[in-house]
Structure formats: structure tokens, C-alpha cells
Amino acid sequence: MLIEQLVRQNRSYRRFYQDFHVSKENLKYFINLARLSPSARNAQPLKYYIANDKSTCKKIFSTLKWAGYLKDWDGPAQGERPSAYIIMLGDQNIAKNYYCDHGIAAQSILLGAVEKGFGGCIIASVDKEKLREDLNIDPALEILQVIALGKPKETVMIETIKNDDIKYWRDDKKIHHVPKRKLKDIIVNL
Ligand SMILES: Cc1cc2nc3c(=O)[nH]c(=O)nc-3n(C[C@H](O)[C@H](O)[C@H](O)COP(=O)(O)O)c2cc1C
């Protein structure tokens, strides 16, 4: 796939075919893409906790908040939940500041997921204390964000932003629409 196709297809997916398994091999492939990505000072402080079993996925799911703009939606229903997760961690023994490493790494992971026919969503709204406790995550590892992964069960469409309204919405066919600013409005010296 060309890079533009990959980036266009790499939307935030929040409903999945829950029974569709994401293998450990796939998760390792995605994390290897993160490993090869840029890192400030080349410190490479990021670590990863992977999950693709039902019991761990259930624990992780209970700590996540979904789609803040969709006020009447509580997140994916049973049967439409992610079948795998990658928890992104910052090793404080290596660095205290992760700059934008975890953003870049997340995009590499998600592009790899799209390439393999999966999709996902970065979730930063996480009950980090509960997650740390439930999964017994070492206190030296700061929980930065979670990537939910699976086989997408929803269509997400890019829209041109209107009236500066950045809020995504879902229509009556459950198609998710994401407004993006125009190119001419984000290049400041055109
Ligand atoms: C750093 C970051 C944190 C995010 N946190 C959440 C979150 O907690 N919950 C959620 O449902 N989506 C979250 N998202 C997804 C955004 O809502 C999504 O990227 C945005 O609506 C644009 O949609 P798109 O990814 O399809 O372009 C996050 C995205 C980023 C980059």
C-alpha cells in the first residue's frame, strides 16, 4: 500500500470483530516497527506490554475511556471490543522525558496494523492506577498510553471541517465521520 493510502486508512477504530484474534507474532511485528522509529537523543526509553488473551483484554478494557465527543456512547459493546492491546510504557530508569517518542511509535504500530488488515485506536484517557495494579506493572515504568487493536467493524470517513467544528460524529448507519482541517489552512506561509 502507498503511504497516503496507509495513512488515510489508519483511522481511529473503536468497534471490532472481537473474536478475530491478533496473534503474538503480529503484535511483535508492530512493536518492531516502533523499535525502528525515531527516538529523542536515541535514548529508546519505550517499553511495551502486550495482551491478546480474553482475561487480560477484559482487565485493560475496564480502564479505558472512549470517544469523548460521542456523549451517548459508552464505548464498544461486548462482541465489538478490541481483541488485543499494546500498553506503551516509559522506562524511567532510561529517561524522564519521552518527548514525542510515544506518538511516533504509536503511529508506526498503527500503520503496521493497517498494513496487516487490522486497525486500532490510541487511548490516552486511561485509569493508569487501576491498570498498573490490575496488571502488576513495575512502578519504574510510566504508563503513557494504550493502543487498542483488532479487526475493525466500522467505517470511518474523513470529512472536510466546517465552521471550525473539530468534533467527530456518528451517523444513523453508525458510520464514524472525522473532520480534518484543509491543507491550505494549516500551512501558515502559503
Ligand atoms: C494522543 C492521543 C490520545 C487519544 N486518546 C483517545 C482516548 O482516550 N479515547 C479515544 O476514544 N480516542 C482517543 N484518541 C483518538 C482521537 O480521538 C482521534 O485520533 C481523533 O478523533 C481523530 O480521528 P482519526 O484518528 O481517525 O484521525 C487519541 C488520539 C491521540 C493522538
Side-chain angles (χ1 to χ4, degrees):
M1 227 187 288
L2 293 173
I3 186 69
E4 186 178 351
Q5 282 174 292
L6 270 177
V7 171
R8 281 183 178 276
Q9 214 166 303
N10 176 31
R11 304 274 48 87
S12 289
Y13 296 102
R14 299 182 178 87
R15 294 189 296 124
F16 302 91
Y17 293 97
Q18 193 169 331
D19 289 337
F20 203 102
H21 188 64
V22 184
S23 71
K24 276 241 162 86
E25 281 316 300
N26 274 318
L27 294 173
K28 281 161 72 178
Y29 173 78
F30 305 152
I31 290 167
N32 196 42
L33 299 175
R35 184 179 74 85
L36 299 171
S37 298
S39 170
R41 299 186 294 115
N42 203 27
Q44 304 167 70
L46 300 181
K47 301 280 170 74
Y48 303 88
Y49 183 111
I50 56 178
N52 68 346
D53 63 284
K54 282 184 183 158
S55 148
T56 315
C57 285
K58 195 173 168 188
K59 284 183 191 165
I60 298 172
F61 179 80
S62 74
T63 69
L64 307 179
K65 285 214 168 60
W66 297 84
Y69 292 143
L70 304 181
K71 296 292 176 205
D72 54 354
W73 189 65
D74 267 351
Q78 185 62 42
E80 295 190 336
R81 292 180 179 164
S83 49
Y85 294 93
I86 295 174
I87 304 173
M88 300 185 65
L89 306 161
D91 189 335
Q92 298 177 82
N93 292 318
I94 297 177
K96 300 285 180 235
N97 187 337
Y98 309 105
Y99 299 93
C100 52
D101 283 23
H102 44 306
I104 298 170
Q107 181 75 344
S108 296
I109 288 168
L110 286 166
L111 291 174
V114 169
E115 182 209 27
K116 297 282 182 199
F118 297 103
C121 187
I122 300 170
I123 311 267
S125 190
V126 180
D127 183 341
K128 294 177 180 170
E129 259 175 54
K130 184 173 189 302
L131 186 59
R132 179 180 302 287
E133 220 175 274
D134 288 356
L135 300 187
N136 199 19
I137 293 173
D138 184 334
L141 301 174
E142 185 179 338
I143 297 173
L144 301 172
Q145 58 198 9
V146 173
I147 303 186
L149 290 160
K151 186 90 178 163
K153 198 187 170 186
E154 66 179 356
T155 303
V156 180
M157 288 177 63
I158 294 175
E159 306 289 348
T160 300
I161 209 162
K162 283 196 192 100
N163 305 321
D164 218 29
D165 188 354
I166 53 167
K167 292 192 187 79
Y168 47 77
W169 74 94
R170 206 169 274 173
D171 66 23
D172 48 13
K173 292 193 181 87
K174 288 190 176 175
I175 294 174
H176 186 94
H177 300 266
V178 186
K180 296 286 181 191
R181 296 187 200 280
K182 289 181 186 159
L183 190 58
K184 73 173 182 54
D185 293 336
I186 60 170
I187 302 176
V188 298
N189 61 338
L190 268 187

PDB file of all heavy atoms in Angstrom, residues 10-12 14 65-68 121-126 145 156 168 176 178 180, ligand 1:
ATOM      1  N   ASN A  10      -5.597   4.503   8.136  1.00  0.00           N
ATOM      2  CA  ASN A  10      -5.279   4.413   9.555  1.00  0.00           C
ATOM      3  C   ASN A  10      -6.101   5.417  10.356  1.00  0.00           C
ATOM      4  O   ASN A  10      -5.606   6.439  10.823  1.00  0.00           O
ATOM      5  CB  ASN A  10      -3.785   4.645   9.778  1.00  0.00           C
ATOM      6  CG  ASN A  10      -3.446   4.660  11.255  1.00  0.00           C
ATOM      7  OD1 ASN A  10      -4.099   3.978  12.058  1.00  0.00           O
ATOM      8  ND2 ASN A  10      -2.464   5.460  11.623  1.00  0.00           N
ATOM      9  N   ARG A  11      -7.369   5.112  10.514  1.00  0.00           N
ATOM     10  CA  ARG A  11      -8.270   5.938  11.316  1.00  0.00           C
ATOM     11  C   ARG A  11      -8.318   5.380  12.739  1.00  0.00           C
ATOM     12  O   ARG A  11      -7.840   4.277  12.988  1.00  0.00           O
ATOM     13  CB  ARG A  11      -9.686   5.946  10.713  1.00  0.00           C
ATOM     14  CG  ARG A  11      -9.717   6.393   9.277  1.00  0.00           C
ATOM     15  CD  ARG A  11      -9.797   7.919   9.094  1.00  0.00           C
ATOM     16  NE  ARG A  11      -8.890   8.737   9.849  1.00  0.00           N
ATOM     17  CZ  ARG A  11      -7.636   9.065   9.442  1.00  0.00           C
ATOM     18  NH1 ARG A  11      -7.147   8.613   8.309  1.00  0.00           N
ATOM     19  NH2 ARG A  11      -6.882   9.853  10.173  1.00  0.00           N
ATOM     20  N   SER A  12      -8.922   6.132  13.645  1.00  0.00           N
ATOM     21  CA  SER A  12      -9.146   5.595  14.987  1.00  0.00           C
ATOM     22  C   SER A  12     -10.392   4.717  14.934  1.00  0.00           C
ATOM     23  O   SER A  12     -11.506   5.225  14.763  1.00  0.00           O
ATOM     24  CB  SER A  12      -9.353   6.734  15.985  1.00  0.00           C
ATOM     25  OG  SER A  12      -8.129   7.402  16.176  1.00  0.00           O
ATOM     26  N   ARG A  14     -12.943   2.070  16.734  1.00  0.00           N
ATOM     27  CA  ARG A  14     -13.367   1.809  18.113  1.00  0.00           C
ATOM     28  C   ARG A  14     -14.348   0.657  18.229  1.00  0.00           C
ATOM     29  O   ARG A  14     -14.781   0.327  19.319  1.00  0.00           O
ATOM     30  CB  ARG A  14     -13.953   3.078  18.732  1.00  0.00           C
ATOM     31  CG  ARG A  14     -12.956   4.234  18.795  1.00  0.00           C
ATOM     32  CD  ARG A  14     -13.574   5.442  19.469  1.00  0.00           C
ATOM     33  NE  ARG A  14     -12.656   6.571  19.593  1.00  0.00           N
ATOM     34  CZ  ARG A  14     -12.457   7.498  18.660  1.00  0.00           C
ATOM     35  NH1 ARG A  14     -13.121   7.447  17.520  1.00  0.00           N
ATOM     36  NH2 ARG A  14     -11.606   8.498  18.865  1.00  0.00           N
ATOM     37  N   LYS A  65     -11.314   5.020  28.472  1.00  0.00           N
ATOM     38  CA  LYS A  65     -12.449   5.900  28.146  1.00  0.00           C
ATOM     39  C   LYS A  65     -12.435   6.153  26.634  1.00  0.00           C
ATOM     40  O   LYS A  65     -11.400   6.460  26.052  1.00  0.00           O
ATOM     41  CB  LYS A  65     -12.305   7.232  28.880  1.00  0.00           C
ATOM     42  CG  LYS A  65     -12.615   7.143  30.358  1.00  0.00           C
ATOM     43  CD  LYS A  65     -13.265   8.421  30.870  1.00  0.00           C
ATOM     44  CE  LYS A  65     -13.844   8.249  32.247  1.00  0.00           C
ATOM     45  NZ  LYS A  65     -12.815   7.857  33.245  1.00  0.00           N
ATOM     46  N   TRP A  66     -13.624   6.016  26.061  1.00  0.00           N
ATOM     47  CA  TRP A  66     -13.736   6.035  24.600  1.00  0.00           C
ATOM     48  C   TRP A  66     -14.472   7.268  24.097  1.00  0.00           C
ATOM     49  O   TRP A  66     -15.499   7.656  24.661  1.00  0.00           O
ATOM     50  CB  TRP A  66     -14.500   4.791  24.134  1.00  0.00           C
ATOM     51  CG  TRP A  66     -13.787   3.516  24.453  1.00  0.00           C
ATOM     52  CD1 TRP A  66     -13.817   2.838  25.638  1.00  0.00           C
ATOM     53  CD2 TRP A  66     -12.927   2.768  23.588  1.00  0.00           C
ATOM     54  NE1 TRP A  66     -13.036   1.719  25.552  1.00  0.00           N
ATOM     55  CE2 TRP A  66     -12.479   1.649  24.311  1.00  0.00           C
ATOM     56  CE3 TRP A  66     -12.503   2.935  22.271  1.00  0.00           C
ATOM     57  CZ2 TRP A  66     -11.618   0.699  23.756  1.00  0.00           C
ATOM     58  CZ3 TRP A  66     -11.652   1.996  21.719  1.00  0.00           C
ATOM     59  CH2 TRP A  66     -11.211   0.899  22.460  1.00  0.00           C
ATOM     60  N   ALA A  67     -13.971   7.826  22.997  1.00  0.00           N
ATOM     61  CA  ALA A  67     -14.695   8.798  22.158  1.00  0.00           C
ATOM     62  C   ALA A  67     -15.465   9.842  22.957  1.00  0.00           C
ATOM     63  O   ALA A  67     -16.700   9.863  22.944  1.00  0.00           O
ATOM     64  CB  ALA A  67     -15.631   8.050  21.205  1.00  0.00           C
ATOM     65  N   GLY A  68     -14.739  10.737  23.581  1.00  0.00           N
ATOM     66  CA  GLY A  68     -15.329  11.781  24.425  1.00  0.00           C
ATOM     67  C   GLY A  68     -16.424  12.609  23.747  1.00  0.00           C
ATOM     68  O   GLY A  68     -17.347  13.068  24.424  1.00  0.00           O
ATOM     69  N   CYS A 121      -6.814   2.128  17.906  1.00  0.00           N
ATOM     70  CA  CYS A 121      -7.067   3.476  18.428  1.00  0.00           C
ATOM     71  C   CYS A 121      -6.085   3.741  19.568  1.00  0.00           C
ATOM     72  O   CYS A 121      -5.889   2.882  20.437  1.00  0.00           O
ATOM     73  CB  CYS A 121      -8.502   3.558  18.947  1.00  0.00           C
ATOM     74  SG  CYS A 121      -9.005   5.220  19.447  1.00  0.00           S
ATOM     75  N   ILE A 122      -5.489   4.919  19.536  1.00  0.00           N
ATOM     76  CA  ILE A 122      -4.650   5.343  20.666  1.00  0.00           C
ATOM     77  C   ILE A 122      -5.595   5.790  21.775  1.00  0.00           C
ATOM     78  O   ILE A 122      -6.500   6.594  21.528  1.00  0.00           O
ATOM     79  CB  ILE A 122      -3.746   6.531  20.270  1.00  0.00           C
ATOM     80  CG1 ILE A 122      -2.825   6.160  19.111  1.00  0.00           C
ATOM     81  CG2 ILE A 122      -2.952   7.044  21.469  1.00  0.00           C
ATOM     82  CD1 ILE A 122      -2.072   7.352  18.505  1.00  0.00           C
ATOM     83  N   ILE A 123      -5.389   5.305  22.970  1.00  0.00           N
ATOM     84  CA  ILE A 123      -6.211   5.736  24.107  1.00  0.00           C
ATOM     85  C   ILE A 123      -5.275   6.310  25.175  1.00  0.00           C
ATOM     86  O   ILE A 123      -4.473   5.574  25.764  1.00  0.00           O
ATOM     87  CB  ILE A 123      -7.016   4.573  24.727  1.00  0.00           C
ATOM     88  CG1 ILE A 123      -7.753   3.769  23.649  1.00  0.00           C
ATOM     89  CG2 ILE A 123      -7.946   5.084  25.815  1.00  0.00           C
ATOM     90  CD1 ILE A 123      -9.137   4.169  23.357  1.00  0.00           C
ATOM     91  N   ALA A 124      -5.421   7.625  25.398  1.00  0.00           N
ATOM     92  CA  ALA A 124      -4.621   8.251  26.468  1.00  0.00           C
ATOM     93  C   ALA A 124      -5.459   8.439  27.726  1.00  0.00           C
ATOM     94  O   ALA A 124      -4.912   8.659  28.806  1.00  0.00           O
ATOM     95  CB  ALA A 124      -4.067   9.586  25.984  1.00  0.00           C
ATOM     96  N   SER A 125      -6.768   8.363  27.562  1.00  0.00           N
ATOM     97  CA  SER A 125      -7.661   8.513  28.712  1.00  0.00           C
ATOM     98  C   SER A 125      -7.809   7.145  29.395  1.00  0.00           C
ATOM     99  O   SER A 125      -8.695   6.360  29.080  1.00  0.00           O
ATOM    100  CB  SER A 125      -9.003   9.046  28.213  1.00  0.00           C
ATOM    101  OG  SER A 125      -9.794   9.402  29.287  1.00  0.00           O
ATOM    102  N   VAL A 126      -6.870   6.912  30.312  1.00  0.00           N
ATOM    103  CA  VAL A 126      -6.732   5.583  30.918  1.00  0.00           C
ATOM    104  C   VAL A 126      -6.688   5.742  32.438  1.00  0.00           C
ATOM    105  O   VAL A 126      -6.034   6.666  32.931  1.00  0.00           O
ATOM    106  CB  VAL A 126      -5.391   4.934  30.465  1.00  0.00           C
ATOM    107  CG1 VAL A 126      -5.207   3.551  31.064  1.00  0.00           C
ATOM    108  CG2 VAL A 126      -5.277   4.892  28.952  1.00  0.00           C
ATOM    109  N   GLN A 145       0.284   5.466  27.310  1.00  0.00           N
ATOM    110  CA  GLN A 145      -0.975   5.340  26.583  1.00  0.00           C
ATOM    111  C   GLN A 145      -1.176   3.877  26.204  1.00  0.00           C
ATOM    112  O   GLN A 145      -0.268   3.054  26.345  1.00  0.00           O
ATOM    113  CB  GLN A 145      -0.992   6.216  25.321  1.00  0.00           C
ATOM    114  CG  GLN A 145       0.139   5.910  24.356  1.00  0.00           C
ATOM    115  CD  GLN A 145       0.380   7.029  23.351  1.00  0.00           C
ATOM    116  OE1 GLN A 145      -0.177   8.112  23.465  1.00  0.00           O
ATOM    117  NE2 GLN A 145       1.194   6.773  22.350  1.00  0.00           N
ATOM    118  N   VAL A 156     -14.947   4.422   8.896  1.00  0.00           N
ATOM    119  CA  VAL A 156     -14.602   5.770   9.363  1.00  0.00           C
ATOM    120  C   VAL A 156     -14.297   6.618   8.135  1.00  0.00           C
ATOM    121  O   VAL A 156     -13.499   6.212   7.286  1.00  0.00           O
ATOM    122  CB  VAL A 156     -13.388   5.737  10.319  1.00  0.00           C
ATOM    123  CG1 VAL A 156     -13.045   7.152  10.791  1.00  0.00           C
ATOM    124  CG2 VAL A 156     -13.650   4.829  11.515  1.00  0.00           C
ATOM    125  N   TYR A 168     -15.797  14.890  15.973  1.00  0.00           N
ATOM    126  CA  TYR A 168     -16.217  13.768  15.124  1.00  0.00           C
ATOM    127  C   TYR A 168     -17.633  13.385  15.510  1.00  0.00           C
ATOM    128  O   TYR A 168     -18.112  13.718  16.597  1.00  0.00           O
ATOM    129  CB  TYR A 168     -15.247  12.584  15.265  1.00  0.00           C
ATOM    130  CG  TYR A 168     -14.883  12.201  16.673  1.00  0.00           C
ATOM    131  CD1 TYR A 168     -15.760  11.482  17.485  1.00  0.00           C
ATOM    132  CD2 TYR A 168     -13.651  12.571  17.227  1.00  0.00           C
ATOM    133  CE1 TYR A 168     -15.429  11.133  18.784  1.00  0.00           C
ATOM    134  CE2 TYR A 168     -13.314  12.230  18.530  1.00  0.00           C
ATOM    135  CZ  TYR A 168     -14.205  11.510  19.295  1.00  0.00           C
ATOM    136  OH  TYR A 168     -13.895  11.173  20.580  1.00  0.00           O
ATOM    137  N   HIS A 176     -18.684   6.470  11.225  1.00  0.00           N
ATOM    138  CA  HIS A 176     -17.994   7.475  12.045  1.00  0.00           C
ATOM    139  C   HIS A 176     -17.353   8.499  11.095  1.00  0.00           C
ATOM    140  O   HIS A 176     -16.690   8.117  10.130  1.00  0.00           O
ATOM    141  CB  HIS A 176     -16.929   6.745  12.876  1.00  0.00           C
ATOM    142  CG  HIS A 176     -16.240   7.609  13.870  1.00  0.00           C
ATOM    143  ND1 HIS A 176     -16.648   7.720  15.177  1.00  0.00           N
ATOM    144  CD2 HIS A 176     -15.145   8.396  13.759  1.00  0.00           C
ATOM    145  CE1 HIS A 176     -15.845   8.541  15.825  1.00  0.00           C
ATOM    146  NE2 HIS A 176     -14.924   8.957  14.992  1.00  0.00           N
ATOM    147  N   VAL A 178     -14.884  11.913  10.624  1.00  0.00           N
ATOM    148  CA  VAL A 178     -13.809  12.672  11.290  1.00  0.00           C
ATOM    149  C   VAL A 178     -13.455  13.907  10.469  1.00  0.00           C
ATOM    150  O   VAL A 178     -12.901  13.788   9.374  1.00  0.00           O
ATOM    151  CB  VAL A 178     -12.527  11.813  11.433  1.00  0.00           C
ATOM    152  CG1 VAL A 178     -11.479  12.559  12.252  1.00  0.00           C
ATOM    153  CG2 VAL A 178     -12.829  10.488  12.066  1.00  0.00           C
ATOM    154  N   LYS A 180     -11.361  16.961   9.218  1.00  0.00           N
ATOM    155  CA  LYS A 180      -9.944  17.367   9.178  1.00  0.00           C
ATOM    156  C   LYS A 180      -9.856  18.771   8.577  1.00  0.00           C
ATOM    157  O   LYS A 180     -10.583  19.106   7.630  1.00  0.00           O
ATOM    158  CB  LYS A 180      -9.135  16.388   8.297  1.00  0.00           C
ATOM    159  CG  LYS A 180      -9.070  14.957   8.830  1.00  0.00           C
ATOM    160  CD  LYS A 180      -8.144  14.833  10.025  1.00  0.00           C
ATOM    161  CE  LYS A 180      -8.080  13.389  10.521  1.00  0.00           C
ATOM    162  NZ  LYS A 180      -7.397  13.290  11.820  1.00  0.00           N
TER     163      LYS A 180
HETATM  164  C1  LIG B   1      -2.502  11.209  21.912  1.00  0.00           C
HETATM  165  C2  LIG B   1      -3.885  10.715  21.551  1.00  0.00           C
HETATM  166  C3  LIG B   1      -4.739  10.341  22.566  1.00  0.00           C
HETATM  167  C4  LIG B   1      -6.005   9.824  22.256  1.00  0.00           C
HETATM  168  N1  LIG B   1      -6.816   9.388  23.278  1.00  0.00           N
HETATM  169  C5  LIG B   1      -8.025   8.862  22.982  1.00  0.00           C
HETATM  170  C6  LIG B   1      -8.849   8.367  24.040  1.00  0.00           C
HETATM  171  O1  LIG B   1      -8.505   8.407  25.212  1.00  0.00           O
HETATM  172  N2  LIG B   1     -10.042   7.804  23.695  1.00  0.00           N
HETATM  173  C7  LIG B   1     -10.454   7.723  22.384  1.00  0.00           C
HETATM  174  O2  LIG B   1     -11.535   7.172  22.129  1.00  0.00           O
HETATM  175  N3  LIG B   1      -9.689   8.204  21.366  1.00  0.00           N
HETATM  176  C8  LIG B   1      -8.500   8.773  21.634  1.00  0.00           C
HETATM  177  N4  LIG B   1      -7.693   9.234  20.619  1.00  0.00           N
HETATM  178  C9  LIG B   1      -8.151   9.166  19.229  1.00  0.00           C
HETATM  179  C10 LIG B   1      -8.578  10.546  18.680  1.00  0.00           C
HETATM  180  O3  LIG B   1      -9.854  10.850  19.172  1.00  0.00           O
HETATM  181  C11 LIG B   1      -8.576  10.509  17.138  1.00  0.00           C
HETATM  182  O4  LIG B   1      -7.235  10.419  16.708  1.00  0.00           O
HETATM  183  C12 LIG B   1      -9.257  11.728  16.522  1.00  0.00           C
HETATM  184  O5  LIG B   1     -10.625  11.716  16.808  1.00  0.00           O
HETATM  185  C13 LIG B   1      -9.080  11.779  15.013  1.00  0.00           C
HETATM  186  O6  LIG B   1      -9.552  10.600  14.421  1.00  0.00           O
HETATM  187  P1  LIG B   1      -8.586   9.786  13.469  1.00  0.00           P
HETATM  188  O7  LIG B   1      -7.547   9.145  14.341  1.00  0.00           O
HETATM  189  O8  LIG B   1      -9.455   8.780  12.784  1.00  0.00           O
HETATM  190  O9  LIG B   1      -7.961  10.760  12.520  1.00  0.00           O
HETATM  191  C14 LIG B   1      -6.432   9.749  20.904  1.00  0.00           C
HETATM  192  C15 LIG B   1      -5.543  10.136  19.884  1.00  0.00           C
HETATM  193  C16 LIG B   1      -4.288  10.610  20.200  1.00  0.00           C
HETATM  194  C17 LIG B   1      -3.353  11.004  19.080  1.00  0.00           C
END
